Every structure is written in C-alpha cells, then in structure tokens.
Amino acid sequence: AEPSALWHTQLEGGPYMYHYTFGLEYTLDGIPVTSVGDWSLDKRHFTGSYPAAELEPPPRCAGTAAKTLHAKFTEAMASFPDWPSSGAGGSRRGTLGWVAHDSASAGKQLTDELFRRSSLAQALVAAGPWSWEGAQPLLFYRSGRAHTPWGSATWGLASGTVTLNMGKCQVWQLRFSSALREFTATTLRGDVTRGKLVQFADGSTGLAAEDTDGSPLVENGGKDGGQIGASFGADLSPIERRLLGSGPWAWLGVTPMGFL
C-alpha cells in the first residue's frame, strides 16, 4: 500500500508492505488536509535531524495508515537506547508544531455560536464553489475549515469580513459584495486579488435564489439584523440541514467534497 491521509487511509485489502511515500497530514480533530497539518508525520521534516524520541499520536479520527506509521516510527526509535531527543542532531519537534498560526490577524474563530449569529457565515457555507484569480475551488465549511485552490485553510470573521488563514500563503481578508457574488481579498501587506462565484454551464450559480436580492449580509445577524441561527436551512429535511456546509469530506481519496 502507498497511503496518505486521503487515500488507502485504512490500509484496505490487508497489504503486507507499507510503501512510505506521502506525508500524513491531519487537523487536531482528525480532518485530513492537503497541506501540512497541525498533526504531521512526514519524513521530509527530518532530512536534517532525527525525529523527537516521543511522537504525539495521531488524532483519534485519523486513519489506520497514520496509526500504523506512527507505531512503526515509535518501535524503530525505541530500539535505539541512545536516540537523540533534542540538540546534537535531534529535533525538538515530532508530529506537532509544523504549522504556524497567526492568531493576531486571524479574526474570530468560527465557533458554532458565532456561525448561528452570522448571516454571512451561513450564506457562505451554502454557496459555492468560488473561483479566486481564476483558480478553483474555494469552499467554506461550517467547522471553520476551508479549501482553497492552494490547499487547506481555516476561516473566521472580523468586522464584517472573512479572515482566511492559509499558513505559509498568508492571512487574507475577504470582503464580499452585498449580493454575495464577488469578493476582494487583501493581505496584511496590501496585496489585492479578486474572486467570484462560479457560473455553471446553464448560467446559474451556486447561490440560493433568496440570497440574490442584493440585501447586505451582516456579521451579527440576518438581513434584518436579528439572530437567524434557528432558521438556517429551516426549509430543508433534517438530513439536508445536517449536511449543508459540513465537511470537508473525502470520497475514495478525492477531496474536497462538500454539500451546498
């Protein structure tokens, strides 16, 4: 098997050889990501130093491949009583600490309470996909996760805008048009780019008709400024409401997948 966090994650078929090529990348709550994860087991981290003697285990929801590789690393290092733990060729980092989070510019993390109070957040998870400077897809998930054309990200809210933390690709501030069809993205150093809702072959967009009337979408309530959390997906069945904006999902190794 030649697994990653996205395919062959459960070592299907009972393979007898683990072909270690790809790093295993997860968020701390066990969501597989396409960039370096908050939990990361990748041999490329250790081209110039030994891994830490004790590696933090994978998240509970991670696949069998991650748990197997972690166990093999641990077993191999334990067989060397003088394995360097830090300094003199040893790394202070093991499976954590490879992603830097800029908390000062990341805005308010998207909690469930904040999501239920923000019509902008509720509209974004039900709309899409988006293109950004011609690249796609850009998708927003209810969990505060996002998928960009350049990998995984997290998102939050700040002063009526969306903050998108893309790690090494900087923190971006996205300001959406009132009709939720276009956005302008700006970095802290002033770089400006633009994106728009994808238009399908039939001329439609991934936006519900009731959200296209041009009324402003505000951060602290619905179009009338009130709390609208109870009405999110109210016209949907329970399973549709549960799936709307959930994710990110992976299906047969293909990611991202979302329900809009």
Side-chain angles (χ1 to χ4, degrees):
E2 193 174 10
S4 76
L6 299 171
W7 55 82
H8 302 317
T9 59
Q10 302 302 330
L11 300 181
E12 298 89 342
Y16 60 89
M17 180 180 294
Y18 191 125
H19 185 174
Y20 177 31
T21 300
F22 302 104
L24 296 159
E25 314 292 347
Y26 287 92
T27 64
L28 293 182
D29 47 358
I31 297 175
V33 294
T34 54
S35 56
V36 177
D38 294 315
W39 188 91
S40 177
L41 183 53
D42 190 337
K43 60 188 176 184
R44 295 160 189 83
H45 294 323
F46 307 111
T47 54
S49 62
Y50 294 96
E54 295 184 4
L55 299 177
E56 188 72 19
R60 183 176 60 86
C61 295
T64 302
K67 297 170 184 176
T68 298
L69 189 61
H70 174 269
K72 296 301 181 184
F73 261 75
T74 300
E75 179 184 0
M77 292 187 294
S79 67
F80 292 87
D82 56 349
W83 187 270
S85 57
S86 64
S91 173
R92 292 183 179 275
R93 291 185 288 185
T95 51
L96 303 179
W98 299 102
V99 177
H101 295 284
D102 188 352
S103 57
S105 58
K108 296 179 182 177
Q109 183 179 355
L110 190 68
T111 62
D112 184 66
E113 179 182 358
L114 186 57
F115 172 77
R116 292 181 179 277
R117 291 187 58 84
S118 170
S119 58
L120 174 59
Q122 294 182 23
L124 282 178
V125 302
W130 299 82
S131 68
W132 190 351
E133 289 293 303
Q136 57 175 291
L138 171 61
L139 295 169
F140 296 93
Y141 297 98
R142 218 164 53 205
S143 60
R145 307 291 177 187
H147 182 88
T148 79
W150 306 279
S152 303
T154 58
W155 68 288
L157 299 172
S159 303
T161 64
V162 168
T163 55
L164 192 66
N165 191 332
M166 297 172 60
K168 293 182 179 179
C169 294
Q170 304 186 65
V171 175
W172 292 79
Q173 184 180 61
L174 277 58
R175 187 176 297 276
F176 288 83
S177 64
S178 60
L180 205 69
R181 290 181 177 271
E182 300 175 331
F183 66 85
T184 300
T186 309
T187 65
L188 295 178
R189 66 185 185 190
D191 302 320
V192 179
T193 58
R194 290 174 172 79
K196 61 182 180 180
L197 203 60
V198 172
Q199 188 170 13
F200 300 113
D202 62 359
S204 65
T205 61
L207 190 64
E210 59 269 21
D211 290 326
T212 62
D213 61 4
S215 302
L217 290 163
V218 295
E219 181 180 333
N220 63 346
K223 294 176 182 178
D224 59 357
Q227 186 167 336
I228 63 170
S231 65
F232 175 67
D235 57 336
L236 303 177
S237 69
I239 186 62
E240 288 174 316
R241 182 169 177 166
R242 184 175 180 182
L243 289 175
L244 183 62
S246 65
W249 296 79
W251 187 11
L252 298 178
V254 178
T255 188
M257 181 178 133
F259 296 90
L260 305 173

